[in-house]
Amino acid sequence: TTHVATADAEGNWVAMTQTINTNYGSLIVVPGTGLILNNEMDDFAIAPGTPNAFGLIGAEANAVGPRKRPLSSMSPTIVLENGQPILTLGAAGGPTIITQVVQALVRRLDLNMPLDQALAQPRIHHQWSPDAVRIESRLDDNLQKSLTDRGHKLTPIANMGVTQAILFDRTSGQFLGLADPRIPGQAAGP
Ligand code: DON
């Protein structure tokens, strides 16, 4: 999965998340093109109670059927202030996309963190099943303790997901593009 965040001086903004779902998708390459076909059918629930590749459990509403689209976690986002875009972001990482995007938004907009900090902060994720809180292991010890004191089971991992974002500072008229510090890469632009 790849998220692309773009914005230009004319006021055009695009938030686009593209995916072949799991690594190498369906493992089928269209001959002569190099294009890998996705295995996006996995986003449907193949049977009630049977987890998909990301551990998500679905039921009838997400069952395979004609003219249906599977449930998706992809969340390309553009934030408007008084009708004007000020922030765009999105993420890769299956179901953690939703929690990544929400955490980046809350950290930037509600907690007023600089955008680079908002992306770098340790991430937390819960998806109902399994009944465990996935955390980035550098999450503050006190926070970890308060979660376990409340009965949560923690599953630490090194890194969770990849979020890309662009912020527009209306005062200076400057764009700030940021690539997730967890993987190599950098924002392109002036
Ligand atoms: O639409 C979805 O929710 C999934 N197909 C996304 C898969 C994904 O993000 C895998 N990658 N990192």
Side-chain angles (χ1 to χ4, degrees), residues 11-169:
N12 302 299
W13 291 60
V14 176
M16 185 193 76
T17 313
Q18 188 279 343
T19 187
I20 53 171
N21 200 39
T22 55
N23 290 346
Y24 295 94
S26 61
L27 310 182
I28 294 169
V29 178
V30 180
T33 69
L35 293 174
I36 299 170
L37 299 183
N38 71 52
N39 61 347
E40 212 50 68
M41 289 292 282
D42 183 71
D43 278 344
F44 281 115
I46 56 164
T50 304
N52 75 355
F54 300 96
L56 294 176
I57 295 191
E60 281 310 313
N62 196 34
V64 182
R67 298 190 166 277
K68 288 182 69 181
R69 278 194 298 178
L71 200 65
S72 174
S73 302
M74 292 191 288
S75 313
T77 302
I78 297 178
V79 179
L80 307 181
E81 185 179 64
N82 300 325
Q84 299 299 318
I86 53 158
L87 173 65
T88 182
L89 76 166
T96 73
I97 290 172
I98 298 170
T99 33
Q100 288 181 69
V101 168
V102 168
Q103 282 165 79
L105 288 172
V106 168
R107 287 165 174 166
R108 172 61 210 145
L109 300 175
D110 298 321
L111 305 179
N112 219 17
M113 283 181 195
L115 188 60
D116 58 342
Q117 278 182 37
L119 295 198
Q121 286 286 307
R123 295 178 178 144
I124 302 174
H125 174 76
H126 198 299
Q127 59 184 49
W128 180 66
S129 177
D131 187 10
V133 184
R134 211 178 301 168
I135 58 162
E136 288 188 323
S137 42
R138 60 189 179 281
L139 184 73
D140 179 73
D141 287 343
N142 291 331
L143 193 48
Q144 292 196 33
K145 182 172 179 322
S146 77
L147 285 167
T148 44
D149 286 350
R150 286 163 198 242
H152 291 290
K153 179 179 177 300
L154 303 188
T155 311
I157 58 169
N159 289 313
M160 192 187 306
V162 180
T163 298
Q164 315 289 13
I166 302 174
L167 184 69
F168 181 64
D169 181 345

Side-chain angles (χ1 to χ4, degrees), residues 165-176:
I166 302 174
L167 184 69
F168 181 64
D169 181 345
R170 293 176 81 176
T171 317
S172 65
Q174 298 288 309
F175 287 104
L176 173 64

